[in-house]
Amino acid sequence: MTLTEQILPLEQFERQLRLLIVILMMTAILVPLTKLDFSDFRPDLSAAEAQFTDLQAAAAQMQEQAAAENICNALNRALSEKQVPCHVLDVSLHIQPDGCISISEVTVEGNLLTGSVFLREWLGTDIIISEGGAPDAADG
């Protein structure tokens, strides 16, 4: 820019010369940049997607555990109200994508026969009701 000002010392063309030099400099900078291959600079999203999938699975598992615990507590309250000598230990369930909860198995201890009658009435007949809990002291 100084060289052009020395060659053409006319002040009336100073603005046009500065504009021309700025355009030339920008062209000199931008042309090499447009030829760069930026595909090497893209982040690897597969690791982030895997972490997101893992987080989704962990969240779904925690949601199922919380739902199973709440259902277990509600069933135990209902059995206590009916004075059934049975206690629900575990509920196996799956939460479907549409939000529906499917209970597949209920593990109980105590009077399995009477408990099964009430549980099947409340939960349906297609649910597996199994006996669980600690073995009796007389067994071992």
Side-chain angles (χ1 to χ4, degrees), residues 12 16 22 24 31-32 34 46-47 49 55-58 69 77-78 86 89 91 95-97 100 121 126 133 137:
Q12 63 186 359
Q16 289 85 358
V22 166
L24 287 173
V31 166
T34 58
S46 61
E49 289 172 354
L55 286 174
Q56 278 184 321
E69 194 174 308
R77 275 193 306 274
C86 183
L89 298 175
V91 175
I95 300 176
Q96 298 170 358
C100 293
E121 180 183 325
D126 56 340

Side-chain angles (χ1 to χ4, degrees), residues 32-43:
L33 289 178
T34 58
K35 294 179 182 177
L36 284 178
D37 183 21
F38 289 104
S39 64
D40 297 338
F41 300 111
R42 291 188 184 138

Side-chain angles (χ1 to χ4, degrees), residues 26-91:
M26 293 297 289
T27 304
I29 292 171
L30 292 177
V31 166
L33 289 178
T34 58
K35 294 179 182 177
L36 284 178
D37 183 21
F38 289 104
S39 64
D40 297 338
F41 300 111
R42 291 188 184 138
D44 183 22
L45 297 179
S46 61
E49 289 172 354
Q51 283 182 333
F52 181 70
T53 304
D54 291 346
L55 286 174
Q56 278 184 321
Q61 184 179 10
M62 289 174 61
Q63 186 179 24
E64 286 181 1
Q65 287 174 349
E69 194 174 308
N70 287 337
I71 291 171
C72 206
N73 291 337
L75 290 173
N76 283 327
R77 275 193 306 274
L79 288 170
S80 293
E81 288 173 3
K82 298 286 184 180
Q83 297 178 352
V84 178
C86 183
H87 183 74
V88 177
L89 298 175
D90 188 36
V91 175

Side-chain angles (χ1 to χ4, degrees), residues 83-112:
Q83 297 178 352
V84 178
C86 183
H87 183 74
V88 177
L89 298 175
D90 188 36
V91 175
S92 297
L93 59 85
H94 175 70
I95 300 176
Q96 298 170 358
D98 62 354
C100 293
I101 297 175
S102 301
I103 300 173
S104 57
E105 184 177 0
V106 177
T107 306
V108 298
E109 70 177 353
N111 189 337
L112 182 63

